[in-house]
Structures are given as C-alpha cells and as structure tokens.
C-alpha cells in the first residue's frame, strides 16, 4: 500500500486551515508541545519506512485489510443500487479507531513519550487507546463523560482490564466535549512525557490532518476493493459523522473522483425540530465559531454558547465537526444528511435480520441514510456504506431501544445475584 499523497482538497493551508476552518487556537503553555508534535508528524510522514511500519503493524496486529461485503439481501429488499459495506467492524477492537490509535502509538514511540491520554464518547476510541498502550508499554488515562460511562459500560470494563485509568467527567453535559476539555487540561500539566491521542479529525492543527493521514488506509483499501469487485467506482459513499474520522478516512479514497458523491450522515436524534440532535451541517443549525482549539461549525447560540446535543449513539453527539468536512460541505463536495434515532434503530434491525451484520449505532446512521436513497438509483449503480464499528458495545442501548423483555429479565436476575 502506497503512502498517502497530499491531495489538494485535504491539504491544510496557512496554519492548518481548510478554507475558513481549522487553525490552532491553543493556550501559550501548549504552544511548544504542538510545535513539537507538528515537527514529529512531518518528519514521520516524510519517511517511507514509517508508513511501511504502520501498514505492517495494521496487517499483523489489527487484521487489515478489512473486506468489502456485497449485501445481496438488502439490495433485493430495496431495489435500485447494489449495496456494499466496508467492514471496519472487523478491525481489531471492533472499529476504525484502531487505525488512528496504532499510528499515533508509533509516533509516540518515535517521540519518546511514556504516557498517553485520550477522550472517548462511544468508548471505542478509549478501548483502542488502552489496547495500544498495553501493546507499546505506555501508561494510559482515558477521560469519558459520566453520561457515556453509564451507557457504554462494557467498553469501560475493557479499558480498565487493559490497564487504563478511566476518569469519569462530571462537568457540563458529561459527554464527549467535556471529556475533550478534561484531556486538554491534563495535557497542559503533563506535556513533557504525555501525548494526547486525539480520537477524531477535530481539535487544533495538526490533529485533523494527522488523524486523516492514518484513517486514509480505509479509503485506499475501499477504492481498490470496489474497482476489483465491480469494475467501477461507486455512485455514492456513505459514512456517519460525529467528529468525522471514519468519514474522512473513507472519503479520501474518492475525494478526487467527481463521479462519486460523498454523503455524511449526522445524528438527527429525536428530529431536527425537537432540538434534541447533533446535526451541525445537515440541520442548518450550526454556526462557525472557535472552541477547543480550532475553528469549525458548532451547535451554538447567537451568543456563542454551546447548545446541548443528543443522539442515541454516544459517538455522534459532539458539538462540532471536522474543519475539513465543514470546508468540503461549504464547497459542495460532501452532502450532509441526518437520520433520526427511530430510523437508525430500524436500519440496524433490518441489517441484522437481512445480512447477519451488526453495525454500531453510529454506523447505523450511514445505513439509514443509504436505505433512504438507494431505491431511487439504478441497478447498474453501486453504493458503499462505511461500517465504522460493530454493535456489541451498544447492547444495553440497543436492547432498550428494541424493548427486549428477555434482556430486561436477564439484567434483573443478574442484578439480584450481585445483591446476595
């Protein structure tokens, strides 16, 4: 696999800007740390041996390349375009998060740091970071909003078993944005020996560019696999968008192909009109602003105060979006839609029953967006859905959403057993 090339649509301009979005608005105490990180990253990606070591690690440790699966039953159900799925759920730790984390782990070793910290919402990034730390012998602290700790507790269990300290963040909305704030505070006090493993394509430069660099392995594989499977490029590529790392990863493979429409699907929650959602771009409610060290589109009011967000999927309720994706949306290269919780749960149920595939609730947003549109396309067209992760982490939330009485009975019996 070749080193990622510097595509003009993704390459940052002045000080890490993508159009009017991006940049690095950091406290003075972190200025030298970010300068060191930018230098280390630039040196690493200019070294062909670094990319080769990354690809080898992902092949021998993480199980890459992940396959593309043709979904015959879903295709017949909807008619129209043929449905293919990029299976990031089969990556080690169950999601695309390992791609970025293992790459940053190699960079940490190159920099000589001894400790890593990370934020996590859905928990997959936390598990991946704890896994990387165990693999490379690093101390690890994971910050997670108290709300997310409660709904993603299986991932919390595995983080702790892997040796990470998990800190429950009780400030603010107790979700992902608050975990990021806690990470930045920690880093300001521990920068000499600590690296912050940002989990998505947000934050100050160079994080958006760096995370995309490692996640581009998805798009490289997917483009070649679709050409091999169908002899042509897909008509559309769908990906869910929280911060945007899985979308950025798969979109890089097709960004320079104008015949391929790129579709990002945000969390519509209980509906855009309800105000309980996380649709920054699709909902039209996002506003440009600066927060958490960079400029992008945030869900904020006219005074610049961040609004509460909501999604059934813990990984999609972030207040902002990648500056890269905000720019591509502004330029019309990526179309943004949203999917409600109801649509997402139904798409998940249908995918499980039709194909024996269990997408994460985050990924199910991409499925819902595709299912809404595929019947309007021709059978000569193919669409590709990026399944960013698997749904076993969501078992509590999914069981509640499906109102599964057998699961409720099991939990009650198990709880009673612990009380003895």
């Amino acid at each position: 696999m070749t080193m990622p090339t510097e595509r003009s649509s993704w390459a940052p301009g002045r000080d890490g800007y993508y159009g009017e979005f991006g940049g690095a608005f950091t406290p003075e105490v972190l200025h030298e740390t970010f300068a060191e990180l930018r230098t280390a990253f630039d040196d690493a990606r200019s070294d062909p041996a670094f990319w080769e070591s990354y690809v080898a690690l992902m092949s021998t440790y993480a199980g890459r390349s992940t396959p593309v699966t043709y979904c015959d039953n879903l295709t017949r159900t909807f008619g129209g375009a043929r449905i293919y799925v990029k299976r990031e759920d089969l990556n080690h730790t169950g999601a695309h998060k390992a791609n970025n984390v293992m790459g940053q782990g190699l960079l940490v070793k190159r920099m000589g740091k001894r400790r890593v910290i990370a934020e996590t919402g859905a928990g997959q990034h936390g598990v991946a970071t704890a896994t990387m730390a165990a693999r490379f012998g690093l101390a690890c602290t994971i910050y997670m909003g108290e709300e997310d700790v409660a709904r993603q507790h299986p991932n919390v269990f595995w983080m702790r078993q892997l040796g990470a300290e998990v800190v429950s963040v009780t400030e603010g909305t107790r979700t992902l944005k608050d975990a990021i704030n806690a990470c930045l505070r920690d880093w300001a006090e521990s920068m000499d020996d600590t690296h912050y493993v940002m989990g998505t394509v947000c934050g100050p430069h160079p994080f958006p560019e760096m995370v995309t660099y490692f996640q581009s392995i998805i798009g490289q594989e997917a483009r070649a696999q679709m050409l091999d499977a169908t002899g042509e490029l897909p008509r559309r590529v769908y990906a869910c968008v929280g911060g945007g790392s899985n979308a950025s990863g798969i979109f890089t493979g097709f960004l320079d192909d104008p015949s391929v429409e790129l579709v990002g699907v945000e969390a519509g929650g209980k509906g855009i009109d309800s105000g309980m959602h996380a649709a920054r771009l699709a909902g039209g409610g996002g506003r440009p602003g600066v927060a958490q060290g960079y400029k992008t589109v945030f869900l904020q009011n006219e005074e610049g105060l961040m609004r509460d967000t909501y999604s059934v999927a813990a990984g999609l309720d972030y207040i902002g979006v990648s500056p890269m994706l905000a720019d591509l949306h502004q330029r019309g290269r990526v179309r943004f839609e949203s999917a409600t919780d109801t649509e997402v749960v139904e798409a998940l149920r249908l995918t499980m029953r039709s194909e024996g595939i269990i997408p994460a609730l985050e990924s199910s947003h991409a499925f819902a967006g595709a299912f809404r549109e595929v019947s309007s396309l021709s059978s000569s067209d193919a669409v590709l859905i990026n399944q960013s992760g698997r749904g076993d982490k969501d078992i509590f939330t999914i069981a509640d959403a499906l109102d599964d009485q057998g699961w409720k009975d099991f939990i009650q019996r198990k709880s009673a057993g612990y009380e003895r």
Side-chain angles (χ1 to χ4, degrees):
M1 183 173 293
T2 59
M3 290 176 60
T5 55
E6 198 76 84
R7 295 169 184 260
S8 58
S9 298
W10 288 106
R14 57 182 180 89
D15 300 323
Y17 273 86
Y18 304 85
E20 68 175 272
F21 304 109
F25 299 84
T26 58
E28 186 175 353
V29 68
L30 285 173
H31 177 78
E32 290 303 319
T33 299
F34 272 98
E36 176 192 20
L37 179 59
R38 287 192 292 270
T39 298
F41 174 57
D42 287 343
D43 288 346
R45 66 176 175 170
S46 66
D47 180 1
F50 180 78
W51 180 256
E52 291 169 6
S53 67
Y54 169 64
V55 172
L57 175 66
M58 297 309 293
S59 173
T60 59
Y61 184 70
R64 302 209 70 91
S65 59
T66 60
V68 161
T69 298
Y70 173 56
C71 296
D72 181 60
N73 296 325
L74 286 171
T75 298
R76 284 189 281 105
T77 295
F78 288 101
R82 292 162 290 148
I83 300 173
Y84 290 81
V85 177
K86 177 60 170 167
R87 301 291 305 280
E88 289 301 290
D89 58 309
L90 300 180
N91 201 18
H92 184 42
T93 72
H96 71 294
K97 293 295 187 181
N99 304 328
N100 164 52
V101 163
M102 299 310 294
Q104 288 199 51
L106 290 174
L107 191 62
V108 169
K109 298 293 285 185
R110 190 180 178 108
M111 295 168 65
K113 304 286 186 178
R114 300 185 299 275
R115 176 178 177 257
V116 292
I117 58 175
E119 88 295 334
T120 192
Q124 288 299 101
H125 177 58
V127 171
T129 303
T131 300
M132 177 269 284
R135 176 72 173 81
F136 290 138
L138 303 169
C140 179
T141 301
I142 306 295
Y143 290 92
M144 193 172 188
E146 185 180 47
E147 179 73 18
D148 295 333
V149 168
R151 57 180 170 170
Q152 294 291 329
H153 207 76
N155 276 339
V156 175
F157 172 82
W158 288 121
M159 284 182 250
R160 288 172 173 156
Q161 299 310 307
L162 286 160
E165 176 189 9
V166 180
V167 177
S168 179
V169 179
T170 58
E171 293 88 359
T173 58
R174 299 170 294 128
T175 56
L176 184 59
K177 75 175 178 66
D178 310 292
I180 292 175
N181 288 336
C183 260
L184 289 170
R185 288 194 296 269
D186 182 320
W187 205 19
E189 298 172 356
S190 61
M191 65 189 84
D192 288 344
D193 70 343
T194 297
H195 173 68
Y196 177 12
V197 185
M198 173 66 78
T200 192
V201 281
C202 295
H205 177 61
F207 280 125
E209 183 183 14
M210 183 169 66
V211 176
T212 299
Y213 174 81
F214 293 122
Q215 293 291 5
S216 70
I217 197 169
I218 306 173
Q220 283 197 44
E221 290 177 1
R223 191 177 194 281
Q225 288 166 327
M226 288 301 292
L227 287 171
D228 184 58
T230 69
E232 59 187 5
L233 296 174
R235 172 76 177 275
R236 290 178 186 156
V237 177
Y238 293 86
C240 68
V241 177
S245 63
N246 91 92
S248 297
I250 197 163
F251 289 169
T252 53
F254 306 93
L255 196 62
D256 293 340
D257 299 303
S259 65
V260 181
E261 185 177 16
L262 307 177
V263 184
V265 186
E266 296 182 299
K270 296 186 181 298
I272 301 300
D273 293 340
S274 73
M276 298 182 67
H277 63 84
R280 293 74 36 109
L281 299 173
R287 297 170 179 268
V290 176
Q292 297 184 328
Y294 70 115
K295 181 180 180 181
T296 191
V297 175
F298 293 98
L299 281 175
Q300 56 185 332
N301 63 21
E302 293 179 357
E303 287 74 40
L305 297 175
M306 298 301 164
R307 292 162 46 188
D308 290 343
T309 57
Y310 166 80
S311 173
V312 70
L316 297 190
D317 62 4
Y318 181 51
I319 52 169
V321 67
S322 166
M324 294 175 168
L325 294 175
D327 177 54
L328 290 171
H329 167 72
Q330 190 175 77
R331 293 195 280 118
R333 182 62 186 96
V334 178
R335 171 164 61 92
F336 278 82
E337 302 292 339
S338 66
T340 65
D341 290 354
T342 300
E343 292 176 300
V344 166
V345 171
E346 182 53 38
L348 169 61
R349 189 203 306 261
L350 181 60
T351 303
M352 289 191 294
R353 295 293 178 90
S354 299
E355 299 291 347
I357 294 173
I358 308 175
L361 284 168
E362 289 79 13
S363 309
S364 297
H365 285 71
F367 282 80
F371 293 170
R372 195 189 298 154
E373 300 180 352
V374 290
S375 60
S376 66
L377 298 175
S378 166
S379 60
S380 63
D381 294 321
V383 300
L384 178 63
I385 303 169
N386 194 34
Q387 182 171 336
S388 57
R390 63 180 184 235
D392 47 350
K393 71 179 179 61
D394 297 315
I395 188 168
F396 290 97
T397 306
I398 293 171
D400 285 346
L402 298 177
D403 196 25
D404 188 289
Q405 187 59 49
W407 176 257
K408 293 178 183 178
D409 293 343
F410 163 73
I411 292 297
Q412 289 171 348
R413 291 194 303 271
K414 195 69 175 176
S415 177
Y418 284 130
E419 292 174 358
R420 294 192 188 115

